[in-house]
């Protein structure tokens, strides 16, 4: 990845930040500590999202809940774990409803925290892999010629060679030639794989369109 994978620790208590950074480092994880949400958001704006966020919910300035809402509004797809004090379970539930991946009640067990962070980093990694896959398939689709794109769209829509030929005023034999070109350029070994590639790109595009809507 272009950016370093980090665990962003956000807590206004310096001792908590220091102890969490030490714990994460002892487990082989890179931590970036922030005294408040505003400092974290400045880092996010400069470097982009990477890794996951481990944030307290009760902080001066922007709270953990407000941070979650902000990240959701900005479509920053980074997993967030919230840390709550005793009696803050309702706040934790609210956090989960607005996008938090997990929550931990203080005082928490070190192994439980590390397990939650590893899970969040796994979610991040899978997300980046999916995005890389989607971009790879999109580039292949964009490399198709106009007629190859017509045949590609007909195939993933479930149409037969004969039906595609009729729709575009060409012969079934010509469709077969374009179909072979499409399969080669898309690096698809079967029609089902071709459909899967198209679905991955289409679903991601639909998700982006929904996120753009106010």
């Amino acid at each position: 990845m272009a950016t370093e994978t980090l665990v962003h620790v956000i807590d206004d208590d310096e001792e908590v930040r220091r102890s969490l950074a030490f714990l994460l480092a002892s487990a082989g994880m890179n931590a970036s500590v922030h005294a408040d949400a505003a400092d974290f958001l400045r880092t996010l704006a400069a470097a982009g999202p990477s890794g996951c966020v481990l944030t307290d919910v009760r902080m001066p300035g922007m709270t953990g809940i407000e941070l979650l809402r902000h990240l959701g509004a900005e479509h920053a797809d980074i997993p967030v774990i919230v840390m709550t004090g005793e009696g803050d379970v309702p706040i934790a539930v609210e956090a989960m409803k607005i996008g938090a991946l997990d929550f931990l009640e203080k005082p928490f067990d070190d192994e439980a925290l590390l397990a939650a962070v590893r899970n969040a980093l796994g979610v991040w990694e899978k997300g980046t892999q999916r995005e890389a896959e989607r971009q790879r398939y999109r580039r292949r689709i964009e490399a198709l010629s106009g007629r190859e794109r017509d045949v590609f769209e007909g195939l993933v829509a479930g149409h037969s060679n004969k039906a595609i030929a009729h729709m575009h005023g060409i012969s079934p034999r010509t469709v077969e030639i374009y179909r072979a070109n499409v399969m080669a350029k898309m690096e698809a070994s079967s029609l089902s794989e071709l459909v899967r590639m198209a679905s991955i790109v289409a679903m991601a595009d639909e998700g982006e369109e929904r996120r753009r809507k106010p």
Side-chain angles (χ1 to χ4, degrees), residues 179 183 187-195:
R179 176 173 177 153
M183 299 297 281
E187 299 179 31
S189 60
S190 64
L191 180 58
S192 62
E193 186 177 5
L194 189 72
V195 171

Side-chain angles (χ1 to χ4, degrees), residues 54-77:
L54 183 60
T55 181
D56 196 7
V57 288
R58 294 186 183 273
M59 297 182 290
M62 182 181 287
T63 67
I65 294 295
E66 290 168 339
L67 173 62
L68 276 165
R69 291 200 176 102
H70 178 86
L71 292 173
E74 294 296 317
H75 315 307
D77 296 325

